[in-house]
Amino acid sequence: MRTPIIAGNWKMNNTIKEALGLIEEIKASKLNKDVEAVVCVPFICLSEAKKALENTEIKLGAQNMHWEESGAFTGEISPKMLKELGVDYVIIGHSERRQYFNETDETVNKKIKSSLNHGLKPIVCVGETLDEREANIEKDVVKKQIEKAFEGIEEKDLDNIVIAYEPIWAIGTGKTASSDDANNMLAFIRETIGNKYEEKKNDIRIQYGGSVKPSNIKELMDKEEIDGALVGGASLVAKDFVDLINF
Ligand code: PEP
């Protein structure tokens, strides 16, 4: 049985004060204990968020990290720093990082390895652009991203990795992949993982991401392959995020 995982990606939203307000609202609600809930907050909020989440089941996530432990990388945050703050998850290779900050399949791979070496659980994002989908090459694109991301990753590490399939054209656009399309791609991702790690094929958790909201979560989660959601916009509204966790 794969435990469902709903992760909120706050992106560059919320000051510390706003973050604490949102966390308090989420904490005040009754949450389905069978669903793993994660909030991926801006770096500056991590420390206070960790304290606010004490004595709750809600996990803490970061949105990015450098692969090195320390060094001359101005403006970067290392896995060692995240670990010290008590971070559980870290989003790696989000399409916005790939699009605006030169994230490549190679850096994604380095970051996954480094996060695992530091006891952090990566949420590895993959997904195609609209042009790629219209050219019917979405599966080739995602296969390549998965193969590169998992280069040199050992089978035992798969227990600590979550994959998020996020078609770029569905992120923040209000367009959602149909539940059938999403399920189909997740099945393909599972096959691709199975080609390399047969034993873990049915264990690894795969999320869908892209304009997930309370009105479409149930239909998505009813699909066999969909183990959860990575959520941007709707995770910024306490009631919506709680509704997603309680789908
Ligand atoms: C995301 O940021 O990963 C995302 C899926 O955003 P949204 O839910 O707003 O489309």
Side-chain angles (χ1 to χ4, degrees):
M1 255 304 272
R2 301 187 294 261
T3 304
I5 174 166
I6 304 287
N9 172 17
W10 289 7
K11 312 193 186 193
M12 195 176 71
N13 293 294
N14 290 329
T15 62
I16 294 174
K17 197 171 162 198
E18 289 163 348
L20 292 177
L22 181 48
I23 288 173
E24 285 313 315
E25 274 190 82
I26 298 168
K27 272 167 58 178
S29 310
K30 200 166 159 42
L31 303 178
N32 184 349
K33 290 253 183 292
D34 298 330
V35 173
E36 191 173 6
V38 187
V39 284
C40 300
V41 309
F43 287 134
I44 57 136
C45 301
L46 285 168
S47 179
E48 290 298 321
K50 182 70 192 174
K51 287 181 215 152
L53 292 174
E54 245 168 52
N55 303 319
T56 76
E57 299 285 317
I58 304 168
K59 306 275 173 53
L60 182 63
Q63 300 172 14
N64 181 36
M65 52 168 252
H66 197 280
W67 58 86
E68 292 289 349
E69 202 171 274
S70 62
F73 301 102
T74 304
E76 290 291 317
I77 304 285
S78 86
K80 194 177 166 192
M81 297 169 184
L82 295 182
K83 193 63 195 170
E84 189 187 69
L85 286 171
V87 168
D88 305 291
Y89 284 91
V90 56
I91 299 173
I92 303 287
H94 190 278
S95 64
E96 287 151 18
R97 302 286 328 161
R98 294 182 191 251
Q99 194 177 346
Y100 306 127
F101 302 100
N102 296 326
E103 188 84 272
T104 64
D105 288 335
E106 285 69 31
T107 58
V108 165
N109 177 253
K110 284 184 182 183
K111 290 180 181 188
I112 296 169
K113 285 180 183 153
S114 176
S115 61
L116 292 164
N117 285 339
H118 287 85
L120 300 163
K121 296 179 180 176
I123 298 177
V124 181
C125 301
V126 295
E128 80 285 357
T129 63
L130 187 56
D131 284 352
E132 289 161 345
R133 179 157 279 255
E134 284 175 351
N136 290 320
I137 56 166
E138 70 274 15
K139 286 193 172 155
D140 301 331
V141 170
V142 170
K143 184 166 190 253
K144 181 172 160 272
Q145 289 173 338
I146 293 280
E147 284 173 351
K148 291 271 192 184
F150 283 80
E151 249 171 43
I153 305 287
E154 291 177 48
E155 188 158 74
K156 67 169 174 45
D157 287 327
L158 267 75
D159 297 339
N160 293 318
I161 301 177
V162 175
I163 298 173
Y165 167 60
E166 299 208 306
I168 294 170
W169 48 271
I171 297 179
T173 58
K175 291 184 193 153
T176 320
S178 74
S179 54
D180 282 336
D181 280 351
N183 193 55
N184 190 286
M185 181 60 98
L186 265 59
F188 174 75
I189 292 173
R190 202 172 292 290
E191 279 305 319
T192 305
I193 289 292
N195 291 340
K196 188 168 176 188
Y197 310 97
E198 211 188 321
E199 299 260 298
K200 298 290 177 185
K201 177 183 163 190
N202 292 316
D203 298 337
I204 189 156
R205 291 185 294 174
I206 313 179
Q207 299 173 306
Y208 166 76
S211 299
V212 176
K213 39 190 178 277
S215 60
N216 59 22
I217 185 77
K218 176 94 178 76
E219 186 185 339
L220 289 162
M221 293 303 291
D222 276 349
K223 293 289 174 188
E224 197 181 329
E225 301 292 346
I226 303 181
D227 301 320
L230 181 57
V231 187
S235 72
L236 296 171
V237 179
K239 185 183 177 315
D240 287 356
F241 190 56
V242 167
D243 284 352
L244 295 178
I245 295 164
N246 294 336
F247 69 90

